[in-house]
């Protein structure tokens, strides 16, 4: 590039010299012509022709010089752009292992990367990008196609929208407010209630107040604020919003959402028809990194025996309708709920004894079904919800979730509450975890004349399978190496191993009275299969899907009593520990040598 530019400059210099030389000739000719004008009149025409020719040559050369100057300028610009691109290509990736930058942020400078990563660690989503997006950005209409053609009555109930938050990014809250105002008919939107569960983010003080004041100019008194003087958790925040609401219907939402077009009308229309139904819209996922909306199809909101939420197919009769716009019955809700405000109170609102996070939505779902209401998912109502990489309340929510799940079990699950103990790997009786006072909730159950939980399993959620016929569960430890536990081993894989005891789910084992041993957790639903320990006839044991093991006629039945050997019923070989050639103990199947095992918890019945 540099050598080429030098050549261009030399050529331009030569052309310029020629122009100067021709100009001097032209001047000489003019001078000479004047001196000889009187004497050599006949030669004047020749001189004029010469001057004209020189002038033409000069014009051509000047054009050539101009073209070469323009060409040189383009080359300089191209060279500069190339250098800028080279500079951009060599920008250092400061956070190659950050979830934020896996598919986003290639063009950011180092300074921008630092700012984006700092905001990501604070909020769990891309607040850097959110701050640069329009508050009224357009999101795709992802509803089933027939929803757009539906019409709704004019005289629908009014709605109060509650937005709960803890240290959200200001731009995210503002976008949620903007989308609700823009996409909810003004005569239906009674109010938007902001519930702050004691945020520390300075942006959520004066700057949020300024935005609220700007909304007042558009819609006076539309926005209300509720601020907790200390952090009370999700359940209490939702209750705080519901208590100050005055609309006919209350929608309790997270603040990191954007509502879709015509989101409110199908909800309000359904509640107008039946005030005892608790509704939930269909979520679309907003990616935490690029904030792109990923559509979700309608599905039921379900849970496992640990009371963790999950999506599940509707019952077959919904699919038989062949109309995805129709409401679908659901065992529970995901957390975002819409209800008749007064009925919500009549049925006990939310359990105020639930702490911080988790389980309150499942408790509501079970209670509503048992006590005279129902739960439905409304496919024509869609809400885009940011899926956080991390939660704001606690870095590890399991301990609080376990406590809340055991509380729900004590009040509502009757003789099935032991399933929650098994799912959380706590003792079947006297688990010793403080679940708070449940007397008021038990009185509520009596007052509402609620049905037994067996009715719920039979009529609402038959796919939830009680964990019956278990002898014991928990960690399995050999007396020869009590510091090592049976572990499911690397996944994907089919070889269980010995590993230092840590007590998490990969080491949870279950021995059934029928002889199967499950390793690595136990499934809660009839449509799932567990993983069974098998004797493959080799030194190493196997771990396979129980249905596959049965089809392939693997040896999967074991005899075991607490404090004795684990012996395969067919091969008569035993599961034992042995020193490997590498000097480490390993799990083997071999001729029995009298080793004994103990499982963590024994079940006296069920």
């Amino acid at each position: 590039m540099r050598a080429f530019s030098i050549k261009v400059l030399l050529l331009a210099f030569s052309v310029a010299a020629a122009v100067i030389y021709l100009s001097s000739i032209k001047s000489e000719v003019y001078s000479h012509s004047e001196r000889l004008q009187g004497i050599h009149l006949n030669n004047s025409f020749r001189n004029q022709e010469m001057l004209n020719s020189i002038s033409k040559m000069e014009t051509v050369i000047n054009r050539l010089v101009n073209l070469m100057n323009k060409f040189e300028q383009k080359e300089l610009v191209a060279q500069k752009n190339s250098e800028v691109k080279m500079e951009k290509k060599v920008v250092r990736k400061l956070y190659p292992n950050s979830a934020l930058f896996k598919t986003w942020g290639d063009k950011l400078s180092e300074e921008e990367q630092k700012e984006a990563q700092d905001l990501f660690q604070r909020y769990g989503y891309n607040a850097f990008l959110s701050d640069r997006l329009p508050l009224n950005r357009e999101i795709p209409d992802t509803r089933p196609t027939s929803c757009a053609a539906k019409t709704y009555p004019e005289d629908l109930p009014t709605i109060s929208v509650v937005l709960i938050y803890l240290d959200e990014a200001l731009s995210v809250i503002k976008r949620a407010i903007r989308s609700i105002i823009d996409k909810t008919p003004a005569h239906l939107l009674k109010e938007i209630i902001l519930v702050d569960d004691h945020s520390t983010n300075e942006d959520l003080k004066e700057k949020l107040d300024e935005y609220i004041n700007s909304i007042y100019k558009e819609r006076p008194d539309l926005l209300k604020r509720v601020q907790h003087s200390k952090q009370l958790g999700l359940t209490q925040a939702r209750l705080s919003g519901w208590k100050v609401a005055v609309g006919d219907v209350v929608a309790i939402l997270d603040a990191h959402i954007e509502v879709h077009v015509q989101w409110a009308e199908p909800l309000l229309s359904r509640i107008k028809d039946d005030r005892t139904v608790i509704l939930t819209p269909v979520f679309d996922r907003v990616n935490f990194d690029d904030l792109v909306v990923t559509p979700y199809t309608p599905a039921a909101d379900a849970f496992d025996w640990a009371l963790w939420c999950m999506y599940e197919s509707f019952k077959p009769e919904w699919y038989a309708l062949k109309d995805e716009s129709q409401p679908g019955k659901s065992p529970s809700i995901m957390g975002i709920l819409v209800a008749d405000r007064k009925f919500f109170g009549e049925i006990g609102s939310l359990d105020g004894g639930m702490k911080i996070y988790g389980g309150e939505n499942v408790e509501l779902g079970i209670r509503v079904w048992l006590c005279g209401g129902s739960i439905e998912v409304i496919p024509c109502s869609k809400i885009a919800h940011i899926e956080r990489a991390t939660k704001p309340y606690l870095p590890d929510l399991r301990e609080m979730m376990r406590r809340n799940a055991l509380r729900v079990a004590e009040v509502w699950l009757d003789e099935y509450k032991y399933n929650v103990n098994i799912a959380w790997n706590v003792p079947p009786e006297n688990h010793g975890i403080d679940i708070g006072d449940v007397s008021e909730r038990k009185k509520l159950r009596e007052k509402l004349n609620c049905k037994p939980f067996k009715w719920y399993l039979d009529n609402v959620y038959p796919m939830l399978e009680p964990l019956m016929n278990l002898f014991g569960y928990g960690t399995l430890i050999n007396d020869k190496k009590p510091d090592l536990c049976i572990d499911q081993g690397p996944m994907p894989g089919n070889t269980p191993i010995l590993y230092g005891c840590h007590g998490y789910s990969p080491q949870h084992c279950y021995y059934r009275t029928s002889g199967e041993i499950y390793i690595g957790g136990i499934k809660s639903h009839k449509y799932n299969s567990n993983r069974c320990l098998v004797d493959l006839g080799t030194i190493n044991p196997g771990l396979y899907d129980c249905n596959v093991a049965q089809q392939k006629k693997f040896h999967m039945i074991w005899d075991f009593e607490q404090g004795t050997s684990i012996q395969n019923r067919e091969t008569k070989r035993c599961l034992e520990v042995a020193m490997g050639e590498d000097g480490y103990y390993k799990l083997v199947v071999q001729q029995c040598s009298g080793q004994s095992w103990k499982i963590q918890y024994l079940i006296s019945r069920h």
Side-chain angles (χ1 to χ4, degrees):
M1 177 70 75
R2 188 173 296 173
F4 180 77
S5 299
I6 291 172
K7 290 180 180 179
V8 171
L9 289 171
L10 288 174
L11 181 58
F13 179 79
S14 300
V15 172
V19 171
I20 293 170
Y21 177 68
L22 287 172
S23 297
S24 66
I25 294 175
K26 180 179 177 182
S27 177
E28 288 293 326
V29 170
Y30 271 118
S31 176
H32 185 68
S33 177
E34 288 174 357
R35 288 197 300 269
L36 299 180
Q37 186 174 5
I39 303 172
H40 303 288
L41 186 62
N42 292 335
N43 292 333
S44 62
F45 293 104
R46 290 181 187 175
N47 290 337
Q48 189 63 44
E49 288 177 3
M50 181 182 290
L51 288 172
N52 290 339
S53 297
I54 293 173
S55 294
K56 289 180 180 179
M57 288 177 63
E58 185 178 13
T59 300
V60 171
I61 292 172
N62 282 331
R63 287 178 180 174
L64 180 61
V65 170
N66 288 335
L67 287 173
M68 298 203 61
N69 285 336
K70 289 179 181 179
F71 179 75
E72 183 182 3
Q73 288 176 358
K74 288 183 179 179
E75 286 297 313
L76 289 172
V77 170
Q79 183 177 357
K80 187 174 181 180
N81 290 339
S82 177
E83 289 172 356
V84 170
K85 288 180 180 178
M86 288 297 291
E87 287 178 5
K88 288 185 177 180
K89 287 181 181 178
V90 297
V91 171
R92 187 163 56 101
K93 296 294 183 183
L94 300 182
Y95 309 100
N97 298 321
S98 171
L100 178 62
F101 294 104
K102 283 186 177 179
T103 59
W104 175 85
D106 288 342
K107 297 180 180 180
L108 296 187
S109 67
E110 290 189 8
E111 184 177 343
E112 289 171 330
Q113 290 179 59
K114 290 177 181 177
E115 181 183 353
Q117 178 66 12
D118 178 66
L119 292 172
F120 177 62
Q121 290 179 327
R122 189 186 311 173
Y123 298 116
Y125 50 71
N126 196 342
F128 177 89
L129 177 59
S130 174
D131 293 345
R132 288 154 177 79
L133 292 176
L135 296 182
N136 62 343
R137 72 164 179 164
E138 288 296 322
I139 57 176
D141 185 355
T142 61
R143 297 174 298 168
T145 52
S146 58
C147 292
K150 290 184 181 292
T151 58
Y152 301 97
E154 285 293 321
D155 59 339
L156 292 173
T158 60
I159 188 169
S160 296
V161 180
V162 177
L163 297 177
I164 61 171
Y165 61 91
L166 172 66
D167 288 324
E168 295 277 6
L170 176 60
S171 61
V172 166
I173 295 178
K174 290 164 69 173
R175 189 171 294 109
I177 294 170
R178 187 73 261 166
S179 74
I180 292 167
I181 294 173
D182 289 349
K183 296 175 182 175
T184 311
H187 71 286
L188 299 178
L189 182 58
K190 188 71 174 179
E191 59 196 349
I192 300 174
I193 302 167
L194 305 178
V195 182
D196 184 347
D197 193 21
H198 197 57
S199 296
T200 58
N201 183 0
E202 289 297 321
D203 283 351
L204 302 183
K205 297 177 182 177
E206 291 184 7
K207 290 183 180 179
L208 181 55
D209 286 337
E210 290 173 3
Y211 184 69
I212 290 173
N213 290 333
S214 71
I215 297 296
Y216 283 160
K217 297 176 183 177
E218 177 184 350
R219 294 283 302 273
D221 301 323
L222 178 67
L223 290 173
K224 294 181 181 178
R225 291 191 73 179
V226 177
Q227 293 179 288
H228 289 170
S229 58
K230 63 179 181 178
Q231 190 181 117
L232 300 177
L234 279 178
T235 301
Q236 290 295 339
R238 288 167 176 157
L239 285 171
S240 294
W242 166 69
K243 287 175 182 177
V244 302
V246 295
D248 301 318
V249 171
V250 61
I252 302 178
L253 316 177
D254 294 332
H256 43 276
I257 58 94
E258 296 162 78
V259 298
H260 281 267
V261 62
Q262 211 172 45
W263 75 283
E265 291 92 319
L267 299 167
L268 299 175
S269 177
R270 183 71 186 97
I271 289 175
K272 182 182 179 182
D273 292 340
D274 182 359
R275 69 183 293 268
T276 69
V277 66
I278 306 292
L279 304 177
T280 181
V282 175
F283 290 172
D284 281 339
R285 187 188 76 211
V286 178
N287 301 334
F288 64 78
D289 51 359
D290 58 12
L291 301 185
V292 170
V293 176
T294 301
Y296 277 0
T297 56
D301 299 333
F303 57 91
D304 60 17
W305 281 117
L307 306 195
W308 286 114
C309 297
M310 54 185 288
Y311 289 116
E312 195 175 86
S313 298
F314 289 121
K315 289 184 177 180
E317 48 263 36
W318 184 83
Y319 297 96
L321 296 173
K322 299 185 184 303
D323 183 357
E324 288 189 343
S325 70
Q326 292 300 311
K329 300 294 184 183
S330 179
S332 185
I333 61 170
M334 278 290 177
I336 288 181
L337 66 97
V338 183
D340 179 281
R341 179 175 57 85
K342 292 181 179 178
F343 175 73
F344 188 62
E346 293 165 10
I347 208 164
S349 58
L350 295 172
D351 181 359
M354 306 289 270
K355 286 189 176 180
I356 306 298
Y357 183 96
E360 74 286 341
N361 51 332
V362 174
E363 189 272 347
L364 174 64
I366 293 171
R367 172 163 41 90
V368 167
W369 277 109
L370 292 182
C371 306
S374 61
I375 307 285
E376 289 181 3
V377 175
I378 306 299
C380 285
S381 176
K382 300 207 76 176
I383 290 180
H385 177 268
I386 296 178
E387 185 175 301
R388 275 186 154 119
T390 56
K391 303 289 186 183
Y393 280 97
L394 293 169
D396 187 352
L397 296 167
R398 286 177 298 178
E399 183 177 343
M400 200 56 63
M401 179 65 195
R402 180 184 65 182
R403 181 259 183 204
N404 290 344
L406 292 169
R407 180 181 173 89
V408 175
E410 183 62 33
V411 177
W412 298 103
L413 267 57
D414 304 329
E415 70 271 25
Y416 296 93
K417 66 182 180 181
Y418 73 91
N419 290 278
V420 177
N421 296 49
I422 294 171
W424 282 103
N425 200 50
V426 299
E429 307 286 345
N430 304 317
H431 51 66
I433 296 169
D434 181 10
I435 62 172
D437 183 8
V438 296
S439 58
E440 289 300 317
R441 302 309 285 182
K442 288 186 174 182
K443 287 178 183 178
L444 173 70
R445 182 174 181 178
E446 292 178 8
K447 176 185 173 182
L448 296 175
N449 194 26
C450 303
K451 299 179 179 71
F453 188 71
K454 187 179 187 305
W455 177 90
Y456 179 86
L457 288 178
D458 292 341
N459 295 277
V460 178
Y461 202 6
M463 288 294 105
L464 188 64
E465 184 174 28
L467 307 177
M468 306 291 286
N469 304 317
L470 284 179
F471 171 81
Y473 62 95
T475 54
L476 257 175
I477 298 175
N478 188 290
D479 62 349
K480 189 172 182 178
K481 282 296 293 178
D483 60 326
L484 300 179
C485 290
I486 292 182
D487 189 291
Q488 69 179 5
M491 295 293 291
N494 300 98
T495 305
I497 62 173
L498 285 178
Y499 197 81
C501 294
H502 52 64
Y504 291 111
S505 59
Q507 296 183 351
H508 292 172
C509 301
Y510 308 82
Y511 179 59
R512 296 184 68 96
T513 54
S514 52
E516 296 92 349
I517 294 177
Y518 305 152
I519 301 175
I522 190 167
K523 304 299 183 182
S524 299
H525 301 94
K526 294 177 181 177
Y527 51 77
N528 283 330
S529 177
N530 292 288
R531 303 188 79 215
C532 283
L533 178 72
V534 300
D535 180 358
L536 297 170
T538 61
I539 189 69
N540 295 319
L543 187 62
Y544 288 86
D545 181 287
C546 297
N547 292 336
V548 172
Q550 193 170 22
Q551 291 169 5
K552 294 189 175 183
K553 298 183 178 180
F554 289 154
H555 306 302
M556 56 187 287
I557 305 301
W558 304 82
D559 291 319
F560 169 62
E561 293 288 341
Q562 185 77 318
T564 66
S565 62
I566 298 178
Q567 186 179 41
N568 190 277
R569 191 173 297 176
E570 296 170 296
T571 67
K572 303 302 179 184
R573 300 200 308 164
C574 285
L575 185 71
E576 297 190 340
V577 301
M579 180 71 75
E581 294 179 359
D582 56 4
Y584 292 96
Y585 279 94
K586 60 188 297 186
L587 194 63
V588 299
V589 183
Q590 61 184 14
Q591 294 303 312
C592 302
S593 66
Q595 293 182 16
S596 61
W597 295 84
K598 286 185 179 179
I599 198 162
Q600 190 174 6
Y601 303 119
L602 296 176
I603 299 178
S604 57
R605 59 185 185 277
H606 310 306

